[in-house]
Amino acid sequence: MPPFPPLLVITDRKQAIRPLPELAGDLFELGVRWLSLRDKDLPDSVRLDLARALVGRARRWSALVTLHGDPALALAAGAAGVHLPDGGDIPDALAAARALLGPGALVGVSAHDAAGLARAAAGGADYATLSPIFPSASKPGYGPWLEADGLRRMAAGAGLPVIALGGVESPAAAIACREAGAAGVAAMGLAMRDPPAVAGLLASLPVPSPTG
């Protein structure tokens, strides 16, 4: 299962209202416990420094920082795992990432349809993001949108936790995704543009069941 609470924040420094390490600190203070550094256009050396800064910010909150794209960079940064792009070679890429990062790493994959989810599950991914669920301000015109019905249909037979991504910018959207079978939701633009609004998404997610 994804980290708790099941909200993944994905970075986009071009939309961020503050430098990413400062913004990450705000998000962790709000209750976010899982952040992934995307920003794949940056040089590796810059991404490495940025990832290390984010990992340092996360430590106080026992939050997880993962990195999109490069398992070796994730390892060098001390990140908790890596998020890989979809593709025909994803089983091999997943196996290589797992071998490099170890069995305790969080290794995920992007998917956009049922076939992508099947590849992720077959390769042993810990989770897959599925997108786009709703129209997204971060990627206008990107589609077709799956909507809650498409998410429900694909998540039911996915064989691994599905994180709903794309246009999840309100508590109502997060609740709709959870009711459709998503194990969690992901946010990018909202978290970068208006960090306090993430509190509404967090409040819409379930709390752990009491034990004992």
Side-chain angles (χ1 to χ4, degrees):
M1 295 300 293
F4 185 86
L7 171 64
L8 165 62
V9 169
I10 300 170
T11 68
D12 179 357
R13 73 189 189 285
K14 295 177 182 177
Q15 297 189 66
I17 62 170
R18 301 178 65 190
L20 286 179
E22 297 177 17
L23 187 61
D26 294 341
L27 291 166
F28 296 144
E29 188 166 5
L30 284 167
V32 170
R33 294 295 179 265
W34 182 15
L35 181 142
S36 190
L37 173 60
R38 193 173 185 275
D39 295 275
K40 294 188 287 185
D41 59 313
L42 290 171
D44 282 354
S45 60
V46 177
R47 286 189 86 209
L48 178 58
D49 288 343
L50 183 52
R52 285 173 171 163
L54 294 173
V55 169
R57 292 274 181 160
R59 196 169 292 121
R60 174 184 174 189
W61 307 100
S62 298
L64 300 183
V65 172
T66 53
L67 186 140
H68 271 56
D70 186 346
L73 206 62
L75 180 66
V82 70
H83 184 91
L84 302 173
D86 189 15
D89 63 344
I90 196 61
D92 291 340
L94 281 164
R98 186 73 69 192
L100 181 65
L101 297 175
L106 186 62
V107 181
V109 180
S110 294
H112 308 288
D113 52 28
L117 291 176
R119 284 190 291 272
D126 294 311
Y127 71 92
T129 57
L130 180 64
S131 65
I133 306 301
F134 305 116
S136 171
S138 298
K139 294 185 177 181
Y142 180 53
W145 311 307
L146 299 172
E147 304 285 353
D149 286 345
L151 170 60
R152 180 178 294 106
R153 184 173 63 254
M154 294 182 192
L160 81 173
V162 173
I163 307 298
L165 170 63
V168 185
E169 297 203 340
S170 69
I175 290 169
C177 290
R178 292 285 295 178
E179 290 178 344
V185 299
M188 182 167 67
L190 178 71
M192 300 293 102
R193 299 188 306 267
D194 186 11
V198 171
L201 296 183
L202 290 166
S204 71
L205 297 170
V207 298
S209 299
T211 58

